[in-house]
């Protein structure tokens, strides 16, 4: 099966053109069927391509010079959707020139442009940003929303659960991924009205391709006993960043501790394979590639400071979602839900 | 100066009477001026006291048999405020029989009972739960609210900032602790209306005993460059638990990594002083003792699964807040705020 090509916003991200092109080339070394539309300054892209003979014949350049700034407001960026590398990469998906887009640029602008160009899928009110996080179990856990929607109602949360479960079926291979809503306790009475209502709707639903297990607290996200953690974008962003920060905090403390005495330094050198394993497991580049779920097309957000290896992972995420046709999976799950009419319940019972 | 005695809810917590009495005794070994009112089953308390000669003459027993259940709803627990060990410990503070209360029981019930018995301080609409977290810097960071209030408006957040700063002055010795609001970005436009309004009010305020530095993201809580992190109780609880969970996740991974080969095991044994240092730094018992700020009296929540050492730390927190007269500090800061009339601004500008 030939894979639709992937549009790369070569100008987004903190590191510029080279890291994006290096990342695409690295992904292609593992999967030689990948093809690319590289969007950005032609001269710089050509220069970056020189070191990658494996990209010859597999990539086309779409020249543009304009770039969305990291601090730019989404509304401002939207006005330059037709001239910026980000806007043109997303637009290539809309026009069918590419199957998916990958960008390391401004998340808010990417969200706004993707929503405007690709529109939300039938039955989905709002797209959500989803990412994979490592766990103690065999599979990564999917968290969503991570910041696309500050406020969410029960209906949004139910839709996020369905989209997350569809993504998790691809990642875990489970037919009924274990889904939970992020809350500050697991008892029914805990949390906001929206959470309680969403839980009631998901509990009442039958035949959904998920196992809904109620609430989960933020200290249980990485234990490996939940596949999808659903939240509003504010709480999800807080939880994601708190986890990232705490992981860095502990590894920083560990470094300090290992430096605290000669004996510790020797122990560190001997146990280096162990600490390297830890470092590998926690490196965000190995989990790079957040996805906007719920759009008519695949858009993947690469971390602004990702390495070439990180960009390669984001590209692989995009390719996998194309191959497994995530958009179609969500559409059919949503259709099944509509058939049972659960969606029509409002905010109250 | 003689310290008012501390009421101990000897029945609360997962571990029962012994750990609470052992903890009080341990605290007293370091500070022999501490005196206690031990509230709970007299026979069991007496049995636990037998191994602690240093508690003789320093503790009185207030007998009761009723105990608040860990899963009990606060409204239900409130009806037994006059008969349970938790209710009687809090009531002792109200009556002036004790200067502070320490409980390891049900957080929601403790909050409800404390609020009803002690009432909020003049100018404070709602109390908040505050805890100390470790940082890479010299001082702990104070986070509040950690779950007492699911929804908060700008006015609540401003009050939490003032209460947290008063607490931080005691902990850090700084005259103007660095205060930030927890948000999903640091730009002015990020987050909810409540956060933006609270930030505007704190920025406009002059002469407050704090340095307000705007927003902080959840990955920067433990870096040591902020002294007080203010949030609504939902986000704060999510952030706190995400940090706890991630720290445990990383140390679990590290354990697995050290077990992965003979070489790693040897390295682990040699570097044990380093890993012990890390363990000590991350042990929640060393940061035990969350405080309900904003009440007419000091109430400290000890973790339900705290060790005797953890309970001793919670007792020391209570003693320190009594010695430094936190309640009076908050009252005078609130009075200063009212004098400038900042408080009177509503939700909109």
């Amino acid at each position: 099966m030939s894979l639709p090509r992937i549009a790369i916003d070569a100008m987004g991200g903190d590191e510029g053109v080279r890291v994006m092109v290096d990342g695409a080339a690295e992904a292609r070394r593992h999967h030689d069927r990948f093809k690319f539309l590289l969007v950005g300054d032609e001269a710089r892209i050509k220069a970056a391509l020189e070191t990658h003979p494996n990209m010859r014949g597999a990539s086309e350049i779409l020249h543009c010079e304009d770039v969305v700034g990291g601090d730019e407001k989404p509304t401002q960026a939207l006005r330059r959707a037709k001239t910026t590398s980000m806007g043109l990469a997303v637009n290539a998906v809309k026009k069918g020139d590419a199957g998916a887009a990958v960008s390391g640029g401004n998340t808010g602008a990417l969200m706004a442009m993707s929503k405007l160009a690709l529109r939300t899928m039938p039955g989905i009110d709002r797209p959500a940003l989803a990412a994979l996080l490592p766990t103690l179990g065999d599979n990564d856990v999917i968290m969503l929303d991570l910041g696309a929607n500050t406020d969410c109602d029960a209906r949004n949360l139910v839709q996020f659960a369905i989209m997350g479960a569809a993504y998790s079926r691809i990642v875990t291979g489970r037919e009924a991924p274990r889904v939970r809503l992020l809350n500050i306790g697991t008892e029914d009475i805990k949390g906001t009205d929206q959470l309680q209502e969403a839980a009631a709707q998901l509990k009442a639903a039958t035949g959904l391709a998920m196992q809904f297990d109620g609430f989960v607290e933020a200290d249980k996200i990485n234990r490996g006993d939940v596949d999808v953690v659903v939240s509003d974008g504010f709480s999800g962003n807080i939880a994601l960043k708190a986890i990232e920060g705490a992981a860095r905090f502990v590894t920083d403390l560990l470094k300090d501790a290992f430096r605290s005495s000669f004996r510790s330094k020797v122990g560190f050198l001997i146990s280096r394979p162990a600490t390297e394993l830890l470092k590998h497991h926690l490196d965000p580049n190995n989990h790079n590639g957040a996805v906007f779920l719920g759009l008519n097309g695949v858009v993947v957000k690469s971390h602004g400071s990702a390495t070439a290896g990180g960009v390669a992972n984001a590209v692989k995420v995009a390719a996998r979602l194309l191959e497994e046709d995530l958009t179609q999976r969500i559409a059919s799950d949503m259709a099944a839900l509509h058939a049972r009419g659960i969606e029509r319940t409002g905010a109250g019972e």
Side-chain angles (χ1 to χ4, degrees), chain A residues 131-151:
Chain A
L132 297 168
L133 288 183
T135 72
L136 293 176
D138 296 328
N139 295 117
D140 286 344
V141 60
I142 289 169
M143 269 185 75
L144 77 167
D145 175 35
L146 298 176
N149 311 281
T150 305
D151 284 311

Side-chain angles (χ1 to χ4, degrees), chain A residues 10-21 44 104 303-308 311:
Chain A
M11 311 279 274
D14 311 341
E15 309 293 323
V17 172
R18 175 149 309 268
V19 74
M20 297 305 291
V21 172
R44 286 157 70 195
H303 198 284
S305 61
T307 60
V311 172

Side-chain angles (χ1 to χ4, degrees), chain A residues 230-251:
Chain A
V230 177
S231 67
D232 66 85
F234 191 90
S235 313
N237 190 284
I238 296 278
L240 176 72
K241 284 185 183 149
I243 289 171
E244 287 173 354
R248 202 176 322 124
F249 173 64
V250 175
T251 49

